Every structure is written in structure tokens, then in C-alpha cells.
Amino acid sequence: MVSIADIAAAVELSTGTVSQILSRRDTRYSERTRVRVQEAAKRLGYRPNAMAKALECGRSNAVGIMFADLVGSLANDILTSALPMLEAAGYHALIGVNLWSPEREEQELETFLERRLEGILALPLDGQQAHYQAIQQAGVPLVFMCDWLPGIPADAVALDGHAAGVTLTNHLLAQGHRRIALISNDNQSEQLHARQAGYRAALLAAGLQPDPTLERLVDGADPDSIKTLILGLTCHPRPPTAIVFPVEAVAWQAMEILCDVPEARRPVVAAVGGLPMSSHRLVSLTTVNEPLAKIGRLAAERLLARMADRQRAPRQQLLRGDLVVRASTAPKKPLAKRKGGAAA
Amino acid sequence: MVSIADIAAAVELSTGTVSQILSRRDTRYSERTRVRVQEAAKRLGYRPNAMAKALECGRSNAVGIMFADLVGSLANDILTSALPMLEAAGYHALIGVNLWSPEREEQELETFLERRLEGILALPLDGQQAHYQAIQQAGVPLVFMCDWLPGIPADAVALDGHAAGVTLTNHLLAQGHRRIALISNDNQSEQLHARQAGYRAALLAAGLQPDPTLERLVDGADPDSIKTLILGLTCHPRPPTAIVFPVEAVAWQAMEILCDVPEARRPVVAAVGGLPMSSHRLVSLTTVNEPLAKIGRLAAERLLARMADRQRAPRQQLLRGDLVVRASTAPKKPLAKRKGGAAA
DNA sequence: TTGTAAGCGTTATCAA
DNA sequence: TTGATAACGCTTACAA
């Protein structure tokens, strides 16, 4: 690989001169020399060695962004808004994927540190505080997106999960539903807990006592778990007429299973999420949308702010998600005549 | 950030000694010294500087993987199989995303080069040969995934698009369809051309003359283009009874539009792809599945092989995709009584 | 068993 | 307007 020394040799100048001309737009060299150097660089296919530069300058000009997976459009939506901000500030972004493996998450974060990234945006795996403690101990600015870890004093930008749970549940209540179940997965994240808490709060606010038999978790290890759960609910002595799903993907699975349930006994469904599949006409799932583009943008801003001033007190920023009512909660046949109106 | 010199100072040894102990598992130091160094490293939170190491060793131990976007599960499926292979070989993978922007693609590849990545896996944007020419001029091993660029002599691992087009079309022919349309997007990629060519070949092989009025491209710039196209086809003097979609996402859009077409005049649809959404019961789109996991694995293997031996002649490896018949092509009411049987 | 010193590709400082 | 030289953090001969 051609180095600055090769160019220096080619044009018979010192490496210092070549470096100056190539990196900074310095006018203090003669036009002739500048052109000669530029041309030699182009001719030889010179490309600066990012590692040498970072080593010398003491900064990598890069930040890391960590995702659990790249399924759906979540990572894409976040990156689409975050990357331009980071780049405008002169940072390159390294994308890390942990594939839901805590070991992999730790390893990826470790390489972030070894590469001396100057800041990290992360969608954390629940329960892995130790990994992020290491980040903070290393003094690297950290901003959580979409979720956060209790006990880690980092900035966070996320959906207001509690409000989302409330909104979704209120929507169903407004449609006249009184037996509203909730099915989540066994992920212990703060964000999911908030969504679930919102569901309970809305029930209580409506004067309904949350029924623990209607609040269920799918067992991630058992692929049949969701089927068992759903069918179990439809056979419930007092079956639910609606189900809230804090996790959109679980709702999609449920909708498949509900195809086999007679319409009369089929609960309506609604979820927190907002990925494109839910808006597809054949799916038409009512959702409260996680504002991913906004999360990406704000998280990037926040990270840049923190890199500029490391003393700021970390702050959690919770964003409201919009309710999008779709066919999955459209009243097909009039339910019990209580509060007919369509919800906001 | 704590460096090897800090540790050396802390334990009152030379940096050379510390480096030896910390990097290679060298037994030639006294147990006592080794432990002291290890402990100091841990206590001080030492993390090797990846850039300094790479600089010194002359190799980055990293490869780059370039995607257009992170939508759907394509990138995830590929990474899930490719990452473990690359890591087993001692390489860290940097993920690049160009968000369908040629400028961004170029810039990302440029940073791959500046970071001295030792190999590159890429899902190339069509028409951007120049970017990849630069990679090859720089002598960096390159393997294309899912698609390839004409004129760039690189390895490639992809779906056999021609075979996929044939399979899909034959399936429809076997169901008795004779007027089979094709709707693709205006992407000029080799892979899409192959799929389209397969469609034509199958028609010809069945003794049917491809009808140019049934072969249409959606205009990516016009969001209504697909609707116009689909509705146009249903009003065709001799309307198609089936449509082949080389691009799965276009099929999904079409299915939404077809909801409004009376069932009698509604063509059946099938696509090349295989993302999870197509297998959802509410969508149930017949597909030929792109074997992404296999592509990721083989591409990683191929890249490693090429890094080991740069002289190998580049080779294109085309993989067969499995046909998965779903409701979208299930014969609802018996069509014209020609060749009833379900296809393989 | 440990220390010294050169060098990886850059940039920055200062002298020429 | 240019050229030395040191330094960034690390590895690796080689010397002690």
C-alpha cells in the first residue's frame, strides 16, 4: 500500500511537506509543488492510512452504533437519520451487531473501545449492565436508544413506553373492550416493562382491575408457546375481546394463529411498534409507532453534545408515539353497546 | 486512555516486557512478573489500541461488509452466517451501509480502504463499477453477494436468478396460466436481469411468445407508478392471469393494490425473494427463496480463500433457490382445464 | 528473565 | 517555502 513516503520519494520532497499538502489545505506551499504532490498521490493511488492518522492525532473520528439485529427496518430508520448528523460533525460510524448474544455484545463493545471510538450509540440487550459499565469506566460517551439499562447513568432517547401502553389500551377501552389481555415476550427490558405498566395504568384509570390471567409472557425458548397462549386465552372462562402486544412481532405471530379462531371469539389486536409490515393492507395492525427517525436524530445530537461536554448530567428523553388505527381494531360487528365512538 | 507505558510505569518494567506478556502467551517470563502485569492491566482498565497494533503489524485483521440498506432480514441473514466464519478466521467485520446512495457507497468503500481492511464483501449498487474498480486497483480481495457488476472481475455468490425466474414461471404455467405478466423495478442490476431473462426463457420453452405489453417496470421516482401499472394490466384487452415479481417488495405493494380488484379479474402473484413477511399467513406469497444464509457462508469462505491466495481466478457461484408455494398462487377456483397438477 | 531501540504511517513543531 | 525530528501506542528483534 502506497504511503506518504512513496509520494515524497516520487516527487523528491520530504514526507512532512507531502503530509501538509495532502491533509490540510495549506496555502503556504508553491502552487507548482502542490500540484506535483497531488498528481503523484492520485497517480500512485495513495490513500491515507486512517489508523496512522488516528494514532498520531489521538482521536479516531469515529463513533460506534450497536444494534441487536438488523431485522425489520429499525436499524435502518435509525441510521438514516443518525448517520447524516454524525457525518456532518465529522464522525464516521461503525455499526456493531450482536445478534442477541450477550457475549457478542461484549466483544463488539470491546472492539469499539480498542478502536478508540469517541462515542457510542447503543440499543442495549437487557441485563447486560456490566458491558456498559465498562464503557462508562473507560470514559466513553454513551447514549442508549429505544431502551436503557437501570443503574447505568447514561443518556437515553426512547419511545415513551408507558404512554404507548396507555394510548393503546385507551383506544381499546374506547371501542368498548373491557377484557383486554396483554401478551409480551420474556425480554426483561425497561422499555417493555414501561409499556406493560402503561397498559395496567390505563385499565386502572378506567376503573378496571388488571386480571393477572390476562397478562402473559411467551417463552422465547418454546416456539409453540405463543400458540398455546393465544388458544388458551380464547378458551378462557371469560375470554378477552382484545389483546395488547408490547412487541409488534409477537402480534404478527398472534394474527397468524387467530386466523384459525372463529371470528366471534377472535379478539382484536393492537401493538407497539410501527414497522412497515403492520401498515401493509393484508396485515393492517393497529400500532403506536415508535418514532425511530426522531430517536436516531436526537440520539445522535445528544451523543455529539455529550462528546463536546462530558460533564452534562445524563438525561432520559421519552418521545410520544402516534397511534395509527388500522383494521385490526376496527369494530367489525358492533360490540356491546357501551361507548361506540372510534378512538383518536 | 491507559497505554502499555502506563502499565510499565506502574509495575516498573519496560514496555517491551509488558507488551510481550500482554499480547503473546509467552512463558518466558517469571510467573510473578506475569501476574503483576496482568493485574496492573486489569486494575488500570488497559485496552490495547487496535490502531497502533494494526499499524505496527501491517494488518488490520478486519474485513468490510457493504449493504445497500438494513431493511428486511437480508443483511441479518447474511451476517448471521458470515460473521462466525470470519471471526473464526480471526477477522473482525466492519459493516457499511450506503442507504442506496452511490456517493455514500463510494465514501464507505473509501473508508474501508483507508482503514486498510483486508477484504470486502459487498452487495453492490448497480452501475457503480468505478467504486469497485478502485477496490481492485488497491488490490483488496472482493467478493460480491446477491448481485455483481459486469466488467468487474470479482468473485460472486448469488442466487441463480435465471433459474429462479424459470422456476416461478413454470410453476404458474403448470397451474394453467398462459398470460403471465412480469413487473420489476427500474433497478438495472445483473441479478434482476437474470430473473427477468428466466421468465422469458420459461415462456419460450412453453411455446409462448413473451408479450412486451406484459413486461413492465415500476418507476422508482413515482410512488403511484405501481398502482397505475397493476390497474393498467387488469384493464388490458387480454389481461394476465398471473404476475411474476423479480422483486419481492414490489409484489407486496401489488398485493395491496390487488385487494381492490374483483377476484374474478385478480391475477395470482409470485415473487423471487423469501423474506419472512411473504411467509406470514396473512400475506402468503409464493416465492423462490434467495438462500441468504448460504450466500453469506459461501461468500465469507470465498473471501477467506481469496485473501489466502490472491491469484485464484474469480468465479461466480450461482445457487438454486427453493420454490415455496403459498396461497398467492393456490388455484382458488379451477382455471381453464388445461394442466391441472400442482407444481413441484 | 528483562531492557533497549527501531519502526509502522502520520502529523506537528521548529528550524533552515 | 521546505526539511528534520519527535511523537502517537504498539510489536519485535536483539542486546544485556
Side-chain angles (χ1 to χ4, degrees):
Chain A
M1 194 90 289
V2 28
S3 81
I4 229 168
D6 298 316
I7 300 177
V11 297
E12 294 180 307
L13 285 169
S14 73
T15 60
T17 306
V18 173
S19 170
Q20 293 283 15
I21 292 177
L22 252 29
S23 51
R24 38 168 71 199
R25 40 193 70 269
D26 217 327
T27 174
R28 62 179 181 152
Y29 291 95
S30 73
E31 183 63 24
R32 205 178 83 80
T33 311
R34 293 233 307 289
V35 172
R36 266 174 66 219
V37 170
Q38 310 274 21
E39 277 179 351
K42 172 150 283 181
R43 179 162 43 82
L44 299 177
Y46 169 71
R47 252 166 271 268
N49 184 319
M51 292 169 304
K53 190 176 297 198
L55 188 56
E56 154 67 30
C57 301
R59 46 191 311 250
S60 59
N61 286 302
V63 300
I65 310 184
M66 174 74 112
F67 295 103
D69 62 34
L70 303 178
V71 167
S73 58
L74 183 140
N76 206 74
D77 288 352
I78 287 179
L79 289 175
T80 303
S81 59
L83 288 187
M85 300 232 50
L86 296 170
E87 279 163 18
Y91 291 95
H92 180 70
L94 296 200
I95 298 166
V97 189
N98 58 48
L99 302 177
W100 296 99
S101 146
E103 297 75 43
R104 217 189 188 86
E105 183 181 43
E106 175 160 37
Q107 189 206 319
E108 282 287 317
L109 290 174
E110 203 60 34
T111 72
F112 279 1
L113 254 20
E114 294 186 357
R115 286 177 184 278
R116 299 295 187 264
L117 301 193
E118 300 177 39
I120 294 177
L121 292 177
L123 210 149
L125 250 41
D126 66 291
Q128 305 307 315
Q129 351 283 90
H131 308 173
Y132 291 95
Q133 244 150 20
I135 300 288
Q136 298 214 306
Q137 269 161 26
V140 177
L142 170 66
V143 176
F144 287 132
M145 301 180 295
C146 300
D147 209 338
W148 60 93
L149 297 178
I152 305 289
D155 290 282
V157 182
L159 171 73
D160 183 338
H162 191 279
V166 168
T167 303
L168 225 41
T169 310
N170 279 345
H171 165 61
L172 295 168
L173 289 167
Q175 305 257 43
H177 296 282
R178 285 300 172 270
R179 299 283 293 164
I180 303 176
L182 176 142
I183 300 182
S184 188
N185 64 26
D186 50 8
N187 188 314
Q188 290 300 303
S189 89
E190 295 298 300
Q191 173 64 224
L192 287 189
H193 282 156
R195 295 176 186 180
Q196 192 159 352
Y199 152 85
R200 286 205 205 102
L203 290 183
L204 286 169
L208 296 172
Q209 191 60 33
D211 177 346
T213 65
L214 295 187
E215 245 172 282
R216 316 296 289 270
L217 295 185
V218 293
D219 175 3
D222 172 14
D224 290 331
S225 168
I226 170 114
K227 185 159 197 172
T228 316
L229 266 180
I230 297 278
L231 297 181
L233 283 178
T234 64
C235 299
H236 194 282
R238 296 171 53 211
T241 62
I243 311 180
V244 166
F245 293 87
V247 181
E248 191 173 28
V250 177
W252 295 335
Q253 291 183 265
M255 290 178 96
E256 294 195 291
I257 294 155
L258 287 172
C259 290
D260 289 326
V261 173
E263 193 158 350
R265 289 196 293 129
R266 192 188 299 162
V268 306
V269 295
V272 181
L275 296 186
M277 177 151 157
S278 289
S279 68
H280 192 280
R281 196 162 166 183
L282 294 173
V283 178
S284 275
L285 173 62
T286 292
T287 54
V288 167
N289 291 347
E290 199 175 9
L292 295 172
K294 200 168 177 186
I295 289 176
R297 185 168 51 75
L298 292 176
E301 276 173 7
R302 198 162 277 268
L303 184 65
L304 292 170
R306 176 156 293 278
M307 290 191 286
D309 170 15
R310 309 194 165 213
Q311 306 311 322
R312 310 167 75 237
R315 200 169 81 80
Q316 251 185 44
Q317 187 167 8
L318 298 183
L319 308 174
R320 303 300 282 241
D322 293 326
L323 172 68
V324 180
V325 179
R326 300 205 185 86
S328 78
T329 58
K332 298 154 199 175
K333 42 189 72 173
L335 279 152
K337 293 131 202 161
R338 305 195 194 186
K339 286 187 176 181
Chain B
M1 196 90 286
V2 27
S3 80
I4 229 169
D6 298 315
I7 299 178
V11 297
E12 294 179 307
L13 285 170
S14 73
T15 60
T17 306
V18 173
S19 171
Q20 294 281 17
I21 293 177
L22 253 29
S23 50
R24 35 171 74 200
R25 39 192 74 271
D26 217 327
T27 174
R28 62 178 181 154
Y29 292 95
S30 72
E31 183 64 22
R32 205 179 84 81
T33 311
R34 292 234 306 289
V35 171
R36 267 174 67 220
V37 170
Q38 311 274 21
E39 277 180 351
K42 173 153 281 183
R43 179 163 43 82
L44 299 177
Y46 170 72
R47 252 166 271 267
N49 184 320
M51 293 169 303
K53 190 176 298 196
L55 189 55
E56 154 67 29
C57 302
R59 43 191 314 249
S60 59
N61 287 301
V63 299
I65 311 185
M66 173 73 112
F67 294 104
D69 63 34
L70 303 178
V71 168
S73 58
L74 183 140
N76 205 73
D77 288 351
I78 288 179
L79 289 175
T80 303
S81 60
L83 288 187
M85 299 232 51
L86 295 170
E87 278 162 18
Y91 291 95
H92 180 72
L94 296 200
I95 298 166
V97 189
N98 58 48
L99 302 177
W100 295 99
S101 146
E103 297 75 42
R104 214 186 191 88
E105 182 181 44
E106 175 160 37
Q107 189 205 319
E108 282 288 316
L109 289 174
E110 202 60 34
T111 72
F112 279 2
L113 254 19
E114 293 185 359
R115 286 177 185 278
R116 300 294 186 264
L117 301 193
E118 300 177 40
I120 294 177
L121 292 177
L123 208 151
L125 249 41
D126 67 288
Q128 306 306 316
Q129 352 283 91
H131 308 172
Y132 290 95
Q133 244 150 20
I135 300 287
Q136 298 214 304
Q137 270 162 26
V140 177
L142 169 67
V143 176
F144 288 131
M145 301 180 294
C146 300
D147 209 339
W148 60 92
L149 297 178
I152 304 288
D155 290 282
V157 182
L159 171 74
D160 184 338
H162 190 278
V166 168
T167 303
L168 226 41
T169 310
N170 279 345
H171 164 62
L172 294 168
L173 289 167
Q175 303 257 44
H177 296 283
R178 285 301 172 271
R179 299 282 295 164
I180 303 176
L182 175 142
I183 300 183
S184 187
N185 62 25
D186 51 9
N187 188 314
Q188 290 300 302
S189 87
E190 296 297 300
Q191 173 63 224
L192 287 190
H193 281 157
R195 294 177 187 179
Q196 191 158 352
Y199 151 86
R200 286 205 205 102
L203 290 183
L204 286 169
L208 296 172
Q209 191 60 34
D211 177 348
T213 66
L214 293 187
E215 244 172 283
R216 315 296 289 271
L217 296 185
V218 294
D219 175 3
D222 173 12
D224 290 333
S225 169
I226 171 118
K227 185 158 195 174
T228 315
L229 266 181
I230 297 278
L231 297 181
L233 283 178
T234 62
C235 299
H236 194 281
R238 295 171 56 213
T241 61
I243 312 180
V244 166
F245 292 88
V247 182
E248 191 172 29
V250 176
W252 295 335
Q253 290 183 265
M255 290 177 97
E256 294 195 290
I257 293 156
L258 288 172
C259 290
D260 289 327
V261 173
E263 193 159 351
R265 289 195 295 128
R266 194 187 298 162
V268 306
V269 295
V272 181
L275 296 186
M277 175 150 159
S278 290
S279 68
H280 193 281
R281 195 162 165 184
L282 293 173
V283 178
S284 276
L285 173 63
T286 292
T287 54
V288 167
N289 290 347
E290 199 175 8
L292 295 171
K294 199 167 177 187
I295 289 175
R297 186 167 52 74
L298 292 176
E301 275 174 5
R302 198 161 276 270
L303 184 66
L304 292 170
R306 176 156 294 277
M307 289 191 287
D309 169 16
R310 307 190 167 219
Q311 306 311 322
R312 310 166 73 237
R315 199 168 81 80
Q316 252 185 43
Q317 187 167 9
L318 298 183
L319 309 174
R320 301 301 279 241
D322 291 327
L323 173 68
V324 181
V325 179
R326 298 203 186 87
S328 78
T329 59
K332 298 154 200 178
K333 42 189 75 175
L335 280 151
K337 295 131 202 162
R338 305 192 192 188
K339 285 185 177 181

